[in-house]
Amino acid sequence: MANSLLFHSSDTAATNYAEEGMSSKINRDTTDQSKETSEQSVPSSNRLRKSERKARKFEHKVARLQLLRKKRKTERKERIRLAAALNGGSAPALPESGSSTNDNHEPRVSKLVKSGLIRDKLRSALIHGQRVCIDLGMEDLMSQKECSRLAQQLGRLYGSNRKAEQPFHIYISSVHRNGRVFQDCVRKNCGFERYFIDFVEKSVFEYFELSNIVYLSPDATEILEILESDKIYVIGGLVDETRHKNITKNQAVNFGVRSVRLPIEKFCEKSSQGGTFCQVLSINQVFEILLHVGTTGDWSEAFAKHLPKRLGFV
């Protein structure tokens, strides 16, 4: 009897142990299945992160382009409206930056619209503007430092033309895109290759008719009186710190073209306080004087505004 009870209790314990083991196994299997199900239902972040990032980047890019197109379309319509009003003589003056337009009821014009108007003005100058050419044919006479300074002066020259009411048609001749001056211009002036300038690889004496060329030189004997619309006024692209005489004059003489100098002594007097009284100017200073005279016709005002005070001319 005791033995039967012992065997019965042992069988019962074994059965319970087996049932517990089976239950534990079932629980583990259920847990593993639930993990697999959750892993299948939730994508791996490592697997989809790159594709999601590309998709979001593309969506953002498309949205930005759509907004930019819409903005450009609106600005273009406004620019056309302003241009039409200007042609009809009824357009209000463009407000200065930072000024309020609520008092005089003038429309606010965005920077984008102003830039568009400037571009239109410069494009028109390439057709109807007074022609001025910068001759880069004397690059071999300059040091690297002088070439770098010339590049800076060309940047200032173009900036003056952008601001002018009546911009000039600018040519740059003897352009060598691998040359020192051109490479310095590209490096120092952002977007130089996209400037509204006619870049000419030929020499100024080959590209234009010699009878239409007027070469400006501080050493010339003839004085420039007026700007003639059918002439091309050539400014020598030369920064000469050693001050070699007659370089630009000899250029004109060798090719048989007319050379003139600015009428500084005719319209200015020497200051009693002294000065260098040098008439050799940078190319951007010469250009700004011509630009001012082309707009106003007033030499005295042009010299008063654009001649450096250190020269001593008043």
Side-chain angles (χ1 to χ4, degrees):
M1 184 67 180
N3 290 336
S4 64
L5 289 174
L6 179 62
F7 287 131
H8 179 72
S9 61
S10 298
D11 293 341
T12 303
T15 302
N16 292 337
Y17 180 77
E19 290 178 352
E20 289 178 359
M22 183 63 68
S23 176
S24 175
K25 183 178 180 181
I26 291 173
N27 290 337
R28 286 198 303 272
D29 292 341
T30 304
T31 303
D32 293 339
Q33 289 178 0
S34 63
K35 284 183 179 180
E36 291 177 0
T37 303
S38 63
E39 289 177 356
Q40 292 176 359
S41 60
V42 179
S44 173
S45 59
N46 292 333
R47 192 183 313 135
L48 298 179
R49 185 179 301 147
K50 187 175 181 180
S51 60
E52 286 179 351
R53 186 165 62 249
K54 285 185 176 179
R56 289 174 183 173
K57 186 176 180 180
F58 179 75
E59 290 173 358
H60 292 162
K61 183 178 180 179
V62 170
R64 286 197 304 270
L65 288 175
Q66 289 175 346
L67 288 175
L68 182 60
R69 290 193 190 102
K70 185 176 180 181
K71 184 176 181 181
R72 285 179 176 174
K73 186 176 180 181
T74 302
E75 303 291 1
R76 186 164 55 249
K77 288 181 178 179
E78 186 175 356
R79 187 166 66 249
I80 292 172
R81 181 185 63 79
L82 287 174
L86 286 171
N87 291 333
S90 59
L94 295 178
E96 297 181 357
S97 58
S99 62
S100 175
T101 58
N102 294 331
D103 298 334
N104 51 17
H105 304 288
E106 292 180 356
R108 288 187 179 274
V109 181
S110 68
K111 291 183 178 179
L112 185 61
V113 172
K114 288 182 180 179
S115 298
L117 291 173
I118 291 173
R119 288 194 296 269
D120 294 341
K121 183 174 61 175
L122 293 174
R123 288 192 188 98
S124 178
L126 293 177
I127 302 173
H128 306 291
Q130 173 70 60
R131 293 177 294 175
V132 173
C133 180
I134 311 301
D135 180 13
L136 296 186
M138 295 170 283
E139 179 178 323
D140 294 338
L141 300 176
M142 294 184 290
S143 65
Q144 183 59 52
K145 180 181 178 181
E146 291 169 340
C147 289
S148 179
R149 288 184 58 191
L150 178 59
Q152 293 175 336
Q153 292 177 15
L154 286 172
R156 297 189 192 104
L157 179 151
Y158 185 73
S160 299
N161 203 46
R162 290 184 81 253
K163 297 176 183 177
E165 295 180 8
Q166 299 177 16
F168 283 173
H169 181 178
I170 303 175
Y171 294 85
I172 298 182
S173 65
S174 299
V175 172
H176 302 291
R177 297 186 179 271
N178 294 325
R180 292 178 298 163
V181 173
F182 191 86
Q183 291 299 317
D184 281 340
C185 287
V186 172
R187 186 170 60 253
K188 291 181 177 295
N189 304 302
C190 181
F192 179 76
E193 295 175 289
R194 299 189 301 274
Y195 281 2
F196 289 93
I197 291 176
D198 278 337
F199 297 99
V200 179
E201 293 183 358
K202 292 183 178 181
S203 164
V204 63
F205 305 106
E206 297 173 344
Y207 190 77
F208 298 107
E209 293 185 11
L210 296 181
S211 59
N212 292 331
I213 295 176
V214 179
Y215 211 111
L216 283 94
S217 171
D219 303 306
T221 55
E222 183 183 350
I223 294 177
L224 178 62
E225 298 285 351
I226 59 172
L227 298 181
E228 302 175 66
S229 59
D230 61 333
K231 302 297 183 183
I232 300 97
Y233 293 91
V234 182
I235 304 173
L238 179 66
V239 175
D240 183 16
E241 294 182 345
T242 58
R243 184 62 182 98
H244 296 298
K245 284 185 174 293
N246 299 319
I247 293 179
T248 51
K249 180 183 178 181
N250 291 338
Q251 281 273 88
V253 171
N254 291 339
F255 287 93
V257 301
R258 178 184 168 199
S259 64
V260 297
R261 58 186 171 89
L262 297 177
I264 297 177
E265 294 178 345
K266 181 177 179 179
F267 292 93
C268 299
E269 296 180 357
K270 294 182 178 180
S271 172
S272 59
Q273 297 180 355
T276 62
F277 304 118
C278 177
Q279 298 189 30
V280 179
L281 307 176
S282 63
I283 63 168
N284 60 293
Q285 291 168 349
V286 175
F287 181 84
E288 288 167 359
I289 291 171
L290 295 179
L291 195 61
H292 192 104
V293 173
T295 303
T296 65
D298 192 334
W299 285 103
S300 298
E301 184 178 293
F303 289 136
K305 185 173 182 179
H306 299 291
L307 278 182
K309 302 299 181 184
R310 57 182 170 78
L311 299 183
F313 292 107
V314 293

